[in-house]
Amino acid sequence: MKNIITAALLLFIIPVFAQVGINTTSPTKEVDIDGGLRVRELTNTKSLTLPVHSLPDGTLVNVAIDADTPGLRFIGFLGSNLDLDQDQTFYDINLNQELVDLFDEYDTSTSLYTPVSNGTYKIEMDFDIGGFTGTSTDLDILIGMWDNTDNRWVLRRTFKHRDIQSDEFASARQESYGIANYLDLDSTHVYRFRIIGTYDSSVSSSDYDGILLRSNTGGTGSSISTSFSIEKVK
């Protein structure tokens, strides 16, 4: 009889405590918190505010404690203008002004990026081309991400920087461009960003004087012109 009573009490007690409230006496879920929540395991040493992700088993992680977790990895800017004054010449884009480099994947001394984790990444490149004074041709600009291990492009785009010179367009004017794309990166490879001022061999040396600009300044203010970012998405 005693065992029956004990079992009945347990059946009554379990539903009562199936929901736990912190700072509330009326929880509406299994755990209901009226206030802030701190998970010390998610602390990061970069002093960054990072998104929290849920693994398939429900475990909470952020990119600082799990390198496979999606999230922003790198944001960098040019330290100075890059003159594009040689036809069909690769220029390495050195993003030596870092805003974010969560795992120290980018080496500012070599311009090389080495991902710590395999996966699919979103690559964004925003940049300004200026200083172009040619009036007889366009600049066919080639820019993208280069696999330094395999010596090949893994992301590339071309742009025509126009030679229009008229009352509406001042000499040495500048234009803005933007690229966003997705690609798989390999943690055993190293990558770099590269640009070619023009890949048209018929353009004379006097006509390819473009500049990859660090910043732009006008009568209404100034801003950073060239910024690149890398984000793991999968």
Side-chain angles (χ1 to χ4, degrees):
M1 183 65 180
K2 181 178 179 181
N3 290 339
I4 294 173
I5 294 173
T6 300
L9 287 173
L10 287 173
L11 289 173
F12 175 75
I13 292 170
I14 288 173
V16 171
F17 291 96
Q19 293 180 329
V20 176
I22 300 175
N23 282 343
T24 178
T25 57
S26 349
T28 59
K29 295 292 183 182
E30 283 74 11
V31 179
D32 189 336
I33 302 173
D34 184 4
L37 172 66
R38 180 180 181 184
V39 182
R40 293 177 184 268
E41 185 183 25
L42 299 180
T43 301
N44 72 82
T45 60
K46 298 288 186 176
S47 300
L48 296 173
T49 301
L50 301 173
V52 175
H53 298 267
S54 174
L55 296 180
D57 65 359
T59 302
L60 297 181
V61 296
N62 64 23
V63 67
I65 65 170
D66 186 341
D68 289 324
T69 301
L72 185 65
R73 301 302 185 92
F74 170 77
I75 301 175
F77 312 110
L78 279 179
S80 59
N81 291 345
L82 178 59
D83 292 331
L84 309 175
D85 55 2
Q86 296 293 321
D87 185 25
Q88 295 185 305
T89 297
F90 285 110
Y91 292 91
D92 294 330
I93 301 172
N94 186 5
L95 305 166
N96 58 7
Q97 302 293 314
E98 295 181 319
L99 179 63
V100 176
D101 190 357
L102 197 59
F103 292 107
D104 298 320
E105 296 169 303
Y106 189 81
D107 188 338
T108 57
S109 65
T110 63
S111 308
L112 293 173
Y113 178 80
T114 308
V116 299
S117 175
N118 296 334
T120 302
Y121 289 77
K122 181 181 182 181
I123 311 297
E124 289 193 83
M125 297 180 282
D126 294 294
F127 57 97
D128 281 5
I129 301 294
F132 180 43
T133 60
T135 59
S136 61
T137 187
D138 299 330
L139 290 181
D140 290 307
I141 297 164
L142 172 61
I143 190 171
M145 177 175 269
W146 180 268
D147 185 330
N148 216 58
T149 305
D150 285 345
N151 287 317
R152 65 184 182 91
W153 292 104
V154 290
L155 169 61
R156 53 174 282 173
R157 290 291 183 272
T158 57
F159 297 87
K160 273 195 177 296
H161 190 63
R162 299 296 182 181
D163 68 341
I164 301 171
Q165 303 293 341
S166 65
D167 293 340
E168 291 81 17
F169 296 99
S171 177
R173 67 194 178 86
Q174 62 193 48
E175 293 184 67
S176 299
Y177 304 88
I179 302 170
N181 214 331
Y182 299 85
L183 67 154
D184 292 332
L185 299 183
D186 188 330
S187 61
T188 64
H189 288 212
V190 291
Y191 304 87
R192 66 169 80 240
F193 293 107
R194 280 185 158 181
I195 186 170
I196 299 176
T198 183
Y199 56 87
D200 185 351
S201 59
S202 67
V203 179
S204 65
S205 59
S206 61
D207 284 325
Y208 44 76
D209 58 351
I211 301 171
L212 181 64
L213 296 172
R214 178 190 182 276
S215 59
N216 63 69
T217 303
T220 57
S222 61
S223 67
I224 295 292
S225 291
T226 298
S227 63
F228 290 61
S229 66
I230 302 174
E231 177 184 359
K232 191 174 190 297
V233 296
K234 183 179 178 181

